[in-house]
Amino acid sequence: MTDSTSPDSARLDELEMRVVHQDQTLEELNAAITAQWKLIDRLERQVARLGERVAETELAVSEAAPVNTPPPHY
């Protein structure tokens, strides 16, 4: 009975170590994904702000008087 218990115990210990390792890996992956989502959200807000600035600049340029137009008396 002792011989059959020892391999089972060793096998159980190995399985428990694998589960602990997998739990640790899952926590690390979760932290990495959370950090990436925060970065993605920040970059999306930044791109939206830059898009607004470009639109405002294009509008300001289109409303400005053309630089190379002849004077009105021509």
Side-chain angles (χ1 to χ4, degrees), residues 8-61:
D8 289 342
S9 177
R11 188 170 163 215
L12 182 60
D13 289 343
E14 183 182 340
L15 290 172
E16 287 175 345
M17 287 190 305
R18 282 186 180 185
V19 168
V20 169
H21 185 278
Q22 288 176 349
D23 285 344
Q24 182 182 6
T25 302
L26 285 173
E27 290 297 324
E28 291 170 359
L29 289 172
N30 187 40
I33 289 172
T34 302
Q36 288 177 349
W37 275 113
K38 287 179 182 179
L39 177 61
I40 288 169
D41 287 341
R42 183 175 60 84
L43 292 173
E44 285 178 339
R45 287 191 305 270
Q46 186 177 8
V47 166
R49 284 193 309 265
L50 290 173
E52 291 171 1
R53 287 178 62 188
V54 166
E56 290 171 0
T57 303
E58 288 175 344
L59 182 62
V61 168

Side-chain angles (χ1 to χ4, degrees), residues 59-72:
L59 182 62
V61 168
S62 68
E63 291 176 351
V67 178
N68 294 330
T69 57

